[in-house]
């Protein structure tokens, strides 16, 4: 029974164990299912976390890229707006400059509408600048605020979402582990569950590490957002600074505008006051002139009346004098008769005695007609000037010679008769004026009135001539002089062999008479070469042409004949006085004791330590570095010394191709010459040995140099010289460009073109590029009748026998009023000849072309031939 009971108990325990096992297996299955479900959920959570992470990272990357893009766009827009603001500021400045220029024009023309227009332009510029600043501020604020706010919101949302998902995953993992640990029994399956739990823990740790990474990423994004906020603050500060700058600009522009308005008002007020004063002065002067004219007319009437009365009174006085002289004559006749009677009585007593009656004066005294006409012609005398006294002495008749022979008079005995002297006899004719004499007082009054009348007439005549002529005011600028200069090159390549300054001084009167206005003198400084173009000591003016005293005398002679003295200054290079320790000639002496630092560093021969050259290198001497401040200072002082102490009026600048024209501008503005010419020598264009028709590139280089000087200097028109060499050989078509203008610098910038035929380099004994001898007068006929400033070469004027012919062309230029800016109209330019009208009053022809003004339909007016040289050239002037 016990066994059965035990068996039953065992069976019951087994069944319970089986039930328990089945229950455990069910629970295990349930746990496994739940584990599977939790695993699936975990996978889903992991996938969701990874997806959310990827989405968050993608969104962050997108937001970051969008932020970067927006930031770049905002920066670009900011720079664009800043550039617009700068341009607006520049426009405002330009407008301000234009306003100043317009204001100056307004002051000159006394107009007000330009001022109003300038003020409107300033206000529009200020409005434009304000709008630009406002747009900059608005765009920067909108871009930065929108971008940063969107990034911060997206970052916060992504971070919060990632944290929530991570927390949910952690909670689920903890619940699963808790259920698994609490409900399992110590069977073999527990090990697998533990392994799964370990895996789950690892996964949870991975999730936590990923969460940490996500948090780090979030912290980085937070740092970036802080950085973005700082950038935003910086942008805001820049916007505030821009706004302040704009306000300062507006305030300064407002102050400037107010100041300019005040200045303009004051200037206009002064102009009105000056105009009123001038009007008053003119009206007062006219009234005074009218009064003077009336007084002159009244005085002339009084003079006429006084003349008539004076003639009447003089006749009366002459009659009285005549009567007195007749009485005196009678008395002297009586005395003469008494003397003769006495002589006759004594002759009877002494036959041997010879009597000479006072050297024959008795016959003169008895000549009634001589005394009467003398009194009638001269009248009573008063205190007279020396010139009239000499005339009276010449008129007084001399006493006749003695009637006896000189030999007899010397040997004979005689007794002189005591008769009155000549001064006593002629006392009536030489009678001095007495006080209270009505006639004398009237004569004095008449002469005083006559002097006043003549003075008034001369003054009125001078004023009338000034009003009739109304001469134009000459505007003198260094690039053109007066605009009517005619330059004479006063030397050649061999002039240094003679005492040139003295010889040239003797020709100044002839040059002035012929119409020359300026003389180009040779280089004045001490030089290694005799011609002067290798200068050494700039302050030593004792050269091969003469001493400094002779130079000053020559310049004084030019000034006394109204001629300008142009000095030939060599600024590109200078010869050294000493060698450096390594044997190179680069140490200068004299007052300007420069060293190698004054020489350009790219000069291959002289080891300069200055800056690179701003032009071409002259290889024969050290090239000066004009970029050095001390060099420019010394050169400017030297030029002012030549102007003020020596007397030069202007410059001819040698080899200006070797340094920049901006330095030339500085030198000219400092020394302020009346006229300046630069030698920019460059080669013309040739093709197959023949001159090209198109020389625009050549003349453009010369014009570029003139532009670099700011127009303060003119330049030799080498283009025109080269074209004339070929054109005058029946190729006159070379003398007109496609625009109908001359083909040299004269056609593009005539006021700065200095035309010439020959100089000391091209001609003289050097002969580098001589002008065709048979076309010489055609060349001068061209440059002396065309705009620009012509130059006459010494050899041609004094050695070639064409002095008078050139003078004739100068006279034609002056009569027609041709100047450096005269207009030109070319009618014909072909193989046969060239015809052009210059200004309004001159027409000229070159070549064999059969032409005269009557054959030209486009030419109006009446013309008279002034110069006729046949087929060479002809010149007509308007009648």
């Amino acid at each position: 029974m016990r066994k059965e009971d035990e068996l039953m108990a065992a069976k019951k325990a087994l069944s319970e164990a089986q039930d328990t096992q089945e229950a455990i297996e069910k629970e295990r299955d349930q746990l496994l299912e739940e584990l599977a479900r939790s695993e699936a959920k975990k996978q889903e959570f992991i996938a969701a976390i990874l997806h959310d992470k990827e989405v968050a990272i993608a969104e962050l990357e997108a937001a970051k890229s969008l932020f970067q893009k927006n930031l770049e766009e905002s920066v670009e827009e900011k720079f664009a707006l800043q550039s617009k603001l700068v341009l607006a500021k520049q426009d405002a400045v330009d407008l301000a400059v234009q306003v100043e220029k317009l204001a100056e024009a307004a002051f000159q023309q006394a107009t007000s509408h330009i001022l109003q227009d300038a003020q409107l332009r300033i206000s529009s510029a200020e409005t434009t600048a304000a709008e630009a600043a406002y747009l900059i501020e608005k765009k920067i604020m909108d871009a930065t605020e929108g971008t940063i706010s969107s990034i911060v919101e997206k970052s916060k949302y992504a971070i919060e979402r990632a944290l929530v998902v991570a927390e949910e995953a952690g909670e689920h993992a903890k619940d699963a582990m808790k259920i698994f640990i609490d409900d399992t029994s110590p069977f073999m399956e527990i090990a697998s569950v533990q392994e799964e739990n370990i895996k789950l823990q690892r996964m949870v740790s991975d999730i936590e590490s990923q969460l940490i990474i996500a948090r780090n990423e979030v912290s980085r994004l937070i740092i970036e957002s802080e950085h973005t906020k700082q950038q935003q603050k910086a942008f805001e500060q820049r916007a505030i600074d821009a706004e302040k700058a704009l306000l300062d600009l507006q305030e300064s522009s407002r102050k400037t505008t107010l100041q300019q308005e005040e200045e303009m008002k004051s200037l206009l007020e002064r102009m009105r006051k000056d105009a009123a004063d001038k009007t008053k002065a003119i009206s007062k002067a006219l009234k005074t002139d009218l009064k003077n004219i009336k007084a002159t007319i009244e005085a002339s009437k009084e003079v006429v009346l006084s003349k008539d009365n004076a003639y009447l009174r003089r006749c009366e006085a002459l009659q009285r004098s005549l009567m007195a002289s007749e009485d005196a004559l009678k008395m002297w006749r009586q005395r003469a008769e008494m003397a003769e009677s006495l002589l006759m009585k004594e002759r009877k007593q002494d036959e041997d005695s010879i009597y000479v009656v006072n050297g024959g004066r008795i016959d003169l005294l008895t000549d009634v007609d001589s005394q009467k006409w003398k009194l009638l012609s001269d009248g009573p005398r008063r205190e007279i000037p020396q010139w009239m006294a000499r005339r009276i002495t010449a008129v007084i008749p001399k006493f006749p010679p003695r009637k006896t022979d000189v030999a007899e008079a010397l040997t004979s005995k005689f007794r002189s008769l005591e008769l009155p002297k000549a001064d006593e006899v002629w006392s009536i004719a030489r009678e001095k004026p007495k006080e209270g004499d009505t006639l004398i007082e009237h004569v004095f009054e008449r002469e005083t009135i006559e002097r006043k009348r003549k003075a008034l007439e001369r003054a009125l005549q001078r004023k009338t001539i000034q009003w009739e002529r109304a001469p134009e005011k000459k505007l003198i600028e260094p690039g053109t002089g007066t605009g009517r200069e005619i330059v004479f090159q006063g030397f050649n390549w061999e002039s240094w062999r003679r005492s040139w300054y003295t010889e040239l001084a003797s020709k100044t009167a002839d040059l002035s008479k012929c119409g020359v206005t300026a003389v180009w003198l040779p280089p004045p400084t001490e030089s290694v070469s005799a011609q002067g173009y290798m200068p050494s000591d700039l302050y030593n003016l004792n050269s091969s042409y003469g001493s400094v005293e002779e130079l000053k005398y020559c310049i004084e002679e030019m000034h006394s004949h109204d001629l300008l003295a142009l000095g030939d200054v060599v600024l590109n290079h200078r010869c050294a006085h000493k060698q450096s320790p390594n044997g190179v000639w680069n140490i200068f002496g004299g007052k300007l004791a420069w060293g190698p630092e004054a020489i350009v560093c790219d000069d291959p021969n002289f080891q300069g330590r200055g800056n690179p050259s701003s032009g071409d290198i002259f290889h024969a001497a050290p090239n000066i570095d004009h970029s050095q401040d001390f060099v420019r200072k010394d050169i400017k002082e030297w030029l002012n010394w030549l102007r003020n102490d020596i007397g030069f009026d202007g410059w001819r600048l040698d080899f200006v191709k070797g340094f920049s024209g901006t330095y030339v501008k500085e030198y000219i503005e400092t020394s302020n010459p009346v006229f300046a010419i630069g030698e920019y020598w460059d080669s013309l264009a040739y093709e197959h040995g023949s001159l090209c028709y198109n020389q625009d590139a050549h003349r453009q280089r010369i014009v570029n140099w003139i532009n670099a000087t700011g127009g303060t200097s003119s330049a030799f028109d080498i283009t025109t010289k080269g074209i004339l060499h070929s054109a005058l050989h029946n190729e006159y078509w070379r003398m007109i460009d496609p625009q109908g203008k001359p083909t040299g610098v004269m056609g593009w910038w005539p006021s700065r073109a200095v035309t010439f035929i020959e100089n000391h380099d091209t001609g003289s004994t050097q002969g580098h590029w001589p002008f065709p001898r048979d076309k010489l007068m055609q060349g001068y006929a061209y440059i002396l009748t065309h705009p620009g400033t012509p130059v006459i070469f010494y050899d041609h004027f004094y050695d070639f026998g064409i002095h008078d012919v050139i003078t004739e062309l100068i006279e034609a230029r002056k009569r027609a009023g041709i100047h450096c800016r005269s207009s030109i109209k070319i009618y014909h330019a072909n193989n046969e000849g060239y015809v052009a009208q210059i200004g309004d009053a001159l027409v000229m022809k070159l070549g064999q072309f059969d032409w005269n003004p009557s054959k030209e339909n486009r030419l109006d007016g009446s013309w008279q031939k002034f110069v006729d040289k046949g087929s060479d050239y002809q010149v007509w002037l308007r009648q």
Side-chain angles (χ1 to χ4, degrees), residues 369-397:
D369 290 339
S370 65
Q371 175 73 357
K372 182 170 65 177
W373 287 111
K374 182 68 179 169
L375 291 172
L376 287 174
S377 61
D378 295 332
R381 292 289 175 181
R382 58 181 175 80
E383 202 57 54
I384 56 176
Q386 291 296 326
W387 64 270
M388 192 175 287
R390 289 193 296 270
R391 182 180 177 188
I392 292 172
T393 304
V395 170
I396 294 176

Side-chain angles (χ1 to χ4, degrees), residues 279-322:
T279 306
K280 289 180 182 178
I282 291 170
S283 62
K284 187 176 180 180
L286 288 173
K287 290 179 181 178
T288 305
D289 292 339
L290 289 173
K291 288 181 181 178
N292 292 335
I293 292 170
K294 290 180 180 178
T296 303
I297 294 171
E298 295 294 331
S300 62
K301 290 180 180 179
E302 291 178 0
V303 167
V304 172
L305 292 174
S306 63
K307 278 184 179 179
D308 295 339
N309 295 329
Y311 286 139
L312 292 174
R313 292 173 184 174
R314 187 174 183 182
C315 289
E316 292 174 358
L318 287 174
Q319 286 178 358
R320 290 195 301 269
S321 299
L322 183 60

Side-chain angles (χ1 to χ4, degrees), residues 217-496:
E217 188 70 22
V218 169
S219 62
R220 187 178 64 79
L221 291 173
I222 291 170
I223 292 170
E224 289 183 356
S225 64
E226 292 295 332
H227 181 65
T228 305
K229 288 180 181 180
Q230 292 177 359
Q231 288 182 346
Q232 180 187 2
K233 290 180 180 179
F235 290 148
E236 289 176 355
Q237 186 63 36
R238 289 182 184 177
I240 291 169
D241 294 339
E243 185 178 1
K244 287 182 180 178
L246 182 60
L247 291 174
D248 294 339
L249 175 63
Q250 290 176 350
E251 184 65 22
S252 62
S253 62
R254 186 180 64 81
K255 290 181 180 178
T256 305
T257 305
L258 291 175
Q259 185 179 359
Q260 289 177 352
E261 287 178 357
E262 292 296 330
E263 291 177 355
M264 291 172 71
K265 286 179 181 178
S266 61
L267 284 173
L268 288 173
E269 191 66 30
R270 285 200 299 271
M271 288 173 65
R272 289 172 185 168
K273 187 176 180 181
D274 293 341
D277 293 340
K278 286 181 181 178
T279 306
K280 289 180 182 178
I282 291 170
S283 62
K284 187 176 180 180
L286 288 173
K287 290 179 181 178
T288 305
D289 292 339
L290 289 173
K291 288 181 181 178
N292 292 335
I293 292 170
K294 290 180 180 178
T296 303
I297 294 171
E298 295 294 331
S300 62
K301 290 180 180 179
E302 291 178 0
V303 167
V304 172
L305 292 174
S306 63
K307 278 184 179 179
D308 295 339
N309 295 329
Y311 286 139
L312 292 174
R313 292 173 184 174
R314 187 174 183 182
C315 289
E316 292 174 358
L318 287 174
Q319 286 178 358
R320 290 195 301 269
S321 299
L322 183 60
M323 291 174 64
S325 65
E326 287 177 352
D327 293 339
L329 180 61
K330 289 178 182 180
M331 183 183 68
W332 288 114
R333 279 183 179 176
Q334 292 175 0
R335 290 183 180 181
E337 289 173 357
M338 291 173 62
E340 285 181 356
S341 63
L342 289 172
L343 287 172
M344 293 298 293
K345 288 179 181 179
E346 290 187 2
R347 183 175 293 177
K348 290 179 181 180
Q349 296 175 0
D350 190 1
E351 294 291 333
D352 297 333
S353 301
I354 298 174
Y355 296 92
V356 179
V357 184
N358 206 15
R361 289 195 187 95
I362 290 178
D363 291 338
L364 179 64
L365 295 176
T366 58
D367 189 358
V368 180
D369 290 339
S370 65
Q371 175 73 357
K372 182 170 65 177
W373 287 111
K374 182 68 179 169
L375 291 172
L376 287 174
S377 61
D378 295 332
R381 292 289 175 181
R382 58 181 175 80
E383 202 57 54
I384 56 176
Q386 291 296 326
W387 64 270
M388 192 175 287
R390 289 193 296 270
R391 182 180 177 188
I392 292 172
T393 304
V395 170
I396 294 176
K398 305 294 182 181
F399 291 112
R402 297 174 185 272
K403 291 186 177 181
T404 56
D405 233 4
V406 176
E408 293 178 358
L410 291 174
T411 56
S412 64
K413 298 178 180 178
F414 66 89
R415 288 181 294 177
S416 176
L417 182 66
E418 297 295 332
L419 294 177
K421 296 180 180 179
D423 292 338
E424 296 177 358
V425 174
W426 293 106
S427 62
I428 298 173
R430 294 177 177 174
E431 184 180 1
K432 295 181 180 180
K434 299 177 181 179
E435 294 182 0
D437 191 334
T438 305
L439 178 61
I440 299 304
E441 290 179 357
H442 178 73
V443 170
F444 285 158
E445 182 181 0
R446 179 178 63 82
E447 290 182 352
T448 303
I449 294 172
E450 188 70 17
R451 283 197 300 271
K452 291 182 178 180
R453 184 184 65 80
K454 289 181 178 179
L456 285 172
E457 285 180 354
R458 285 195 297 271
L460 288 173
Q461 185 178 10
R462 284 196 300 269
K463 285 197 172 185
T464 304
I465 290 171
Q466 288 177 359
W467 288 338
E468 287 178 354
R469 289 179 182 173
E472 60 179 358
K473 295 182 179 179
K474 294 182 178 179
L475 177 63
I476 298 177
E477 50 182 324
T480 60
T482 62
R484 302 179 184 273
E485 307 297 348
I486 297 176
V487 181
F488 176 77
Q489 182 178 356
F491 66 99
N492 57 32
W493 194 248
E494 304 298 330
S495 298
W496 62 274

Side-chain angles (χ1 to χ4, degrees), residues 46-62 158 162:
I46 292 171
I49 290 171
L50 293 174
H51 178 69
D52 292 337
K53 179 185 175 183
E54 291 175 355
V55 170
I57 292 171
E59 288 177 351
L60 287 173
E61 291 293 333

